[in-house]
């Protein structure tokens, strides 16, 4: 039985790799593991060094990079459009309401500068962001994986698109499912990638709806709800107030799922995963098995990071088009 299961796991892995390697991006090019093998062989090492340096000074960097990558891919595909600054009358994605708390842009700037010094005009900002997100997970104790590269940077970034493309912290299960299915991703991907909430912090505004004075969300464990209300009282004016997404917010692990099952999931969108039998079963699986979560997280990240539908450019500066 164990031998048959191992064979099945190998077959599934090969299928994922083949799907990823053949995923077409804008302009008809396929992502490839050796895309920069000759043109910029030290690019990945340069990105990893920039991430490591930033993490040594700021433990919130991994959560910031992972969230940047998610928010980039869910609007126009993984094209680096979230990195563009607003200019003139154009309000860019990073200034859209769902992206107000995005950070760690400077890490991508530093990585881009390092890569440009090695091989000018070769490596896209979108690829650098995908690599940095992988490094952020791996350097936080999570899994690592090979990132297929060859993305191009988009030239369009609109704040108005973020409110419809990005599911918010109060999203229902149906809204979350629609957001993922609309990008060719599955309900399983939804549960797996929600596990990225094992890293990071949420401000009071993201979960205030669950601790209203007129009533606390009954799905919250009473002691956890009390803790949240102390951190975020009704008259709170501290912009930095909030809560970690799980107690080990600097470590990539499966604690998020364990907290969720115990009534200590922070966001309504987290709690929504328990409202459907299939997704609740997945949450239960990942709470019990960190290796299962890590394996499936890699698969889902490969699928998400292959979303790209632009025939773009390679920006010299990640904050503006050429």
């Amino acid at each position: 039985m164990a031998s048959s299961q191992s064979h099945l796991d190998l077959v599934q892995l090969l299928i994922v790799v083949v799907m990823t390697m053949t995923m077409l991006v804008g302009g008809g090019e396929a992502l490839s593991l050796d895309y920069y093998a000759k043109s910029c062989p030290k690019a990945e090492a340069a990105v990893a060094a920039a991430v490591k340096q930033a993490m040594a000074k700021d433990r919130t960097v991994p959560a910031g990079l992972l969230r940047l990558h998610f928010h980039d891919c869910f609007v126009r595909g993984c094209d680096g459009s979230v990195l563009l600054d607003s200019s003139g009358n154009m309000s860019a994605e990073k200034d859209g309401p769902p992206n107000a708390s995005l950070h760690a842009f400077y890490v991508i700037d530093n990585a881009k500068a390092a890569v440009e010094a090695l091989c000018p005009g070769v490596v896209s900002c979108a690829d650098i962001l995908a690599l940095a997100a992988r490094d952020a997970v791996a350097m936080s104790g999570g899994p690592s994986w090979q990132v297929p590269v060859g993305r191009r940077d988009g030239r369009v970034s609109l704040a108005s698109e973020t409110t419809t493309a990005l599911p918010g912290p109060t999203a229902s299960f149906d809204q979350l499912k629609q957001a993922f299915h609309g990008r060719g991703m599955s309900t399983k991907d939804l549960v797996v990638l929600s596990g990225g909430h094992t890293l990071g912090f949420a401000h009071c505004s993201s979960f205030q709806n669950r601790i209203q004075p007129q009533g606390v969300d009954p799905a919250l464990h009473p002691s956890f709800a009390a803790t949240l209300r102390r951190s975020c009282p009704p008259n709170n004016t501290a912009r930095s107030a909030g809560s970690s997404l799980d107690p080990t917010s600097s470590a990539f692990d499966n604690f998020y799922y364990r907290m969720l099952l115990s009534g200590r999931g922070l966001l309504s969108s987290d709690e929504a995963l328990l409202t459907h039998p299939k997704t609740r079963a997945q949450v239960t699986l990942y709470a019990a098995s960190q290796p299962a979560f890590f394996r499936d997280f890699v698969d889902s990240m490969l699928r998400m990071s292959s979303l790209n539908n632009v025939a773009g450019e390679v920006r010299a500066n990640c904050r503006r088009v050429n």
Side-chain angles (χ1 to χ4, degrees):
M1 181 70 177
S3 176
S4 298
Q5 183 61 47
S6 297
H7 177 72
L8 180 59
D9 289 344
L10 178 59
V11 171
Q12 290 176 332
L13 177 60
L14 288 172
I15 290 172
V16 170
V17 171
V18 170
M19 285 176 61
T20 304
M21 293 289 288
T22 57
M23 183 70 72
L24 290 181
V25 298
E29 292 185 70
L31 299 181
S32 167
L33 294 177
D34 60 358
Y35 192 87
Y36 299 119
K38 294 182 179 180
S39 59
C40 198
K42 297 182 179 179
E44 288 202 32
V47 174
V51 173
K52 184 176 181 180
Q53 182 181 42
M55 284 179 61
K57 299 177 181 178
D58 183 356
R59 65 189 185 92
T60 70
V61 160
L65 292 174
L66 187 56
R67 191 161 176 247
L68 271 179
H69 188 40
F70 286 163
H71 283 225
D72 183 38
C73 293
F74 266 70
V75 183
R76 293 181 171 266
C78 311
D79 66 346
S81 54
V82 74
L83 304 172
L84 288 170
D85 286 341
S86 296
S87 61
N89 294 326
M90 185 202 77
S91 183
E93 287 174 32
K94 64 171 57 172
D95 292 322
N99 289 338
S101 60
L102 289 182
H103 68 290
F105 290 99
Y106 75 93
V107 184
I108 303 302
D109 292 337
N110 292 346
K112 177 64 172 175
V115 172
E116 285 293 298
L118 294 171
C119 36
V122 173
V123 183
S124 68
C125 298
D127 277 344
I128 288 173
L129 181 51
L131 291 166
R134 184 272 313 274
D135 294 336
V137 170
M139 292 180 191
S140 299
S144 187
W145 60 94
Q146 289 185 289
V147 178
V149 288
R151 297 166 189 80
R152 285 294 178 265
D153 296 323
R155 301 182 181 92
V156 177
S157 182
L158 301 172
S160 58
E161 294 183 343
T162 62
T163 54
T164 54
L166 294 166
T170 62
S172 67
F173 175 76
D174 286 340
Q175 290 171 325
L176 293 167
K177 184 173 70 171
Q178 182 179 4
F180 274 73
H181 287 189
R183 285 151 189 81
M185 301 187 73
S186 68
T187 305
K188 179 180 179 180
D189 293 323
L190 161 61
V191 179
V192 174
L193 294 179
S194 293
H197 285 173
T198 186
L199 296 175
F201 178 91
H203 291 94
C204 296
S205 58
S206 295
F207 56 87
Q208 198 80 53
N209 64 304
R210 306 189 75 193
I211 52 171
Q212 295 289 345
Q214 60 268 31
V216 171
D217 186 337
L220 284 174
H221 190 283
S223 65
F224 184 60
T227 299
L228 295 181
R229 294 187 81 168
R230 285 194 295 271
S231 299
C232 301
N235 59 348
N236 171 64
T237 57
R239 295 184 63 183
S240 61
S243 172
S244 296
L245 287 162
D246 82 18
T248 58
S249 60
S250 296
F252 194 93
D253 53 30
N254 69 333
F255 219 98
Y256 162 82
Y257 297 105
R258 293 156 60 189
M259 293 289 287
L260 191 50
L261 288 177
S262 68
R264 294 172 173 84
L266 188 60
L267 309 177
S268 295
S269 57
D270 296 325
E271 189 66 34
L273 302 181
L274 300 181
T275 62
H276 189 278
K278 182 179 178 181
T279 53
R280 188 183 185 96
Q282 283 180 257
V283 170
T284 303
L285 167 64
Y286 299 144
S289 173
Q290 184 163 283
F293 167 47
F294 281 12
R295 181 192 64 234
D296 289 349
F297 187 82
V298 169
D299 291 350
S300 292
M301 283 294 287
L302 285 170
R303 274 189 287 277
M304 184 191 75
S305 66
S306 295
L307 298 174
N308 194 306
N309 57 1
V310 298
E313 62 187 13
V314 174
R315 285 184 221 137
N317 182 323
C318 292
R319 293 176 177 267
R320 58 178 180 267
V321 297
N322 291 339

